[in-house]
Amino acid sequence: MTAVEKCVLRSPEQYEVIITTTEMHTGGEPLRILESGYPVPRGETILDKIEDLRKNFDQYRRFVILEPHGHLDMYAALLVPPDHPDAHIAVIFLHNEGYSTMCGHACIALGRYAVDRGLVSTTHASDIQVNIQVPCGLVKAFVEVCRAEVPRTARVRFESVPSFVVATDATVEVKGQGQVKVDVAYGGAFYVFVAASDVGVDLNLSPLADIRQAATKVKEAAAKTFTLHHPTTPAFLYGTMVVDSRGPANQDGVSQHVCIFADAETDRSACGSGTTARVALMYHKGHLRLGQSHAFRSGVTGAEFTARALRTEQVGEYGAVVVQVQGQGYYTGRTTLALERGDGLGAGFVVR
């Protein structure tokens, strides 16, 4: 027990809320895993549970995500009982605006967490499968285990839900930029793709604030232009992928991008669901073959995911691919978050 935990738990009656967490990151993108003190959502399905949280307990999301306990770019995960018959665990994702349908960096971290915490049956195999129910479906994660004197979980690869392309080379009217060419694709969440040069930014040289502003304007324009649909999960434009190129893969085998999602939140990692959508887009355009591995680098931290399209499937009217993404999650600590009675600011606020 930490000194903070001892201090808080010594007189719990003076606190309105006490929540304990395990902290992780994947490629620099935080993941706050909520372990105790968070409301247990009601509902038969995972989507029902999200709706219950949104209607009745959204103040808790603000508490764990925003300042003073977090920040505008914080990200969190709440484990709930799965309703999918093949799932080992189920998870609800929380961010600065609400709740996500999919999160790849979180699935990578949660794969390690599930094995380390004994949430799945383990063997002496070097790969342990963890089936994770996310709001958009079932994700299969495979956790590498280093079998030394003390076994240690390591890299994780996941197979996402079937991903597809909605539109290519479409034109949107972006405020301050005029007409801009974009693509739209789904990787567990819907993203609009725009080339950095087409909105006047450089992924290596431009201030992040400029990239974020450009991405937000593109998202606003695309949201007005496209009507999105998915047969089994909520359909809304989640984020913008500002990419080095909407064309063929780079000759050095590494493609770069920055993901801005939710309420102008900046993904520090290469964005798992965004990478998934980008692989689907590149396969659709003939820039990647089935089974061809490619690296995707974050324009924020330089962290990389590797990904490839494994096989084709069908999602309603769309030809889709199942994409595999690999990365590494790391533990960064444990926390006890507390809200002392009478602390109005402690409930959560935003600084931009």
Side-chain angles (χ1 to χ4, degrees):
M1 184 179 293
T2 67
V4 173
E5 287 174 316
K6 289 179 181 178
C7 179
V8 169
L9 297 179
R10 187 175 295 133
S11 53
E13 66 279 355
Q14 75 184 76
Y15 298 94
E16 293 184 32
V17 180
I18 299 175
I19 293 175
T20 62
T21 77
T22 287
E23 306 288 321
M24 300 186 73
H25 84 88
T26 305
E29 179 68 0
L31 183 67
R32 172 164 283 172
I33 303 172
L34 308 170
E35 295 183 322
S36 70
Y38 207 89
V40 178
R42 298 161 293 188
E44 294 185 7
T45 70
I46 193 168
L47 295 180
D48 292 338
K49 292 179 173 69
I50 291 174
E51 191 59 25
D52 184 48
L53 290 176
R54 181 181 287 113
K55 287 183 177 180
N56 301 306
F57 303 106
D58 201 53
Q59 68 272 27
Y60 286 86
R61 176 189 62 81
R62 292 180 55 84
F63 171 75
V64 300
I65 294 293
L66 303 180
E67 295 192 52
H69 301 97
H71 50 83
L72 191 66
D73 296 330
M74 177 55 73
Y75 203 92
L78 175 66
L79 296 181
V80 297
D83 58 85
H84 192 292
D86 298 326
H88 297 115
I89 61 174
V91 59
I92 293 172
F93 304 119
L94 301 82
H95 52 70
N96 69 8
E97 190 177 47
Y99 306 86
S100 308
T101 53
M102 171 57 186
C103 180
H105 94 274
C107 287
I108 290 171
L110 285 168
R112 283 195 70 194
Y113 179 87
V115 173
D116 292 338
R117 291 302 179 96
L119 303 182
V120 296
S121 298
T122 59
T123 65
H124 290 289
S126 58
D127 261 2
I128 297 175
Q129 182 170 340
V130 182
N131 292 344
I132 306 173
Q133 183 185 9
V134 301
C136 67
L138 189 71
V139 172
K140 296 179 180 179
F142 300 88
V143 183
E144 294 182 7
V145 180
C146 300
R147 297 291 177 183
E149 290 185 11
V150 178
R152 180 177 180 271
T153 52
R155 293 180 300 177
V156 176
R157 63 189 188 278
F158 69 85
E159 294 181 12
S160 192
V161 296
S163 302
F164 54 86
V165 174
V166 176
T168 58
D169 299 320
T171 300
V172 296
E173 187 72 25
V174 178
K175 185 178 181 181
Q177 293 285 343
Q179 293 191 336
V180 176
K181 290 282 189 181
V182 300
D183 305 314
V184 178
Y186 174 81
F190 288 92
Y191 293 91
V192 57
F193 291 77
V194 64
S197 59
D198 288 346
V199 287
V201 297
D202 185 299
L203 295 182
N204 296 308
L205 300 176
S206 295
L208 184 56
D210 292 352
I211 297 174
R212 183 168 56 244
Q213 183 181 57
T216 300
K217 290 180 179 179
V218 170
K219 181 181 175 182
E220 291 171 351
K224 296 176 183 177
T225 304
F226 299 100
T227 300
L228 303 174
H229 171 73
H230 193 285
T232 61
T233 193
F236 57 92
L237 190 59
Y238 183 49
T240 303
M241 299 289 287
V242 183
V243 298
D244 49 5
S245 171
R246 294 190 304 110
N250 290 344
Q251 293 299 314
D252 64 359
V254 180
S255 294
Q256 190 174 13
H257 52 233
V258 170
C259 174
I260 307 296
F261 68 98
D263 182 11
E265 185 162 343
T266 302
D267 196 326
R268 274 73 170 154
S269 76
C271 183
S273 55
T275 290
T276 300
R278 191 172 184 186
V279 170
L281 182 61
M282 293 171 76
Y283 172 77
H284 178 85
K285 290 185 172 185
H287 299 157
L288 286 178
R289 304 182 305 276
L290 282 181
Q292 181 182 354
S293 183
H294 192 70
F296 296 88
R297 179 180 298 150
S298 165
V300 180
T301 62
E304 293 183 5
F305 291 152
T306 57
R308 57 180 177 153
L310 297 178
R311 60 185 179 274
T312 60
E313 291 198 15
Q314 192 73 22
V315 178
E317 65 190 275
Y318 299 107
V321 287
V322 173
V323 176
Q324 180 188 90
V325 179
Q326 181 173 267
Q328 171 79 58
Y330 295 93
Y331 294 98
T332 58
R334 299 191 71 244
T335 61
T336 298
L337 310 175
L339 177 62
E340 196 168 7
R341 297 185 187 281
D343 180 5
L345 289 176
F349 61 90
V350 174
V351 173
R352 296 186 187 273

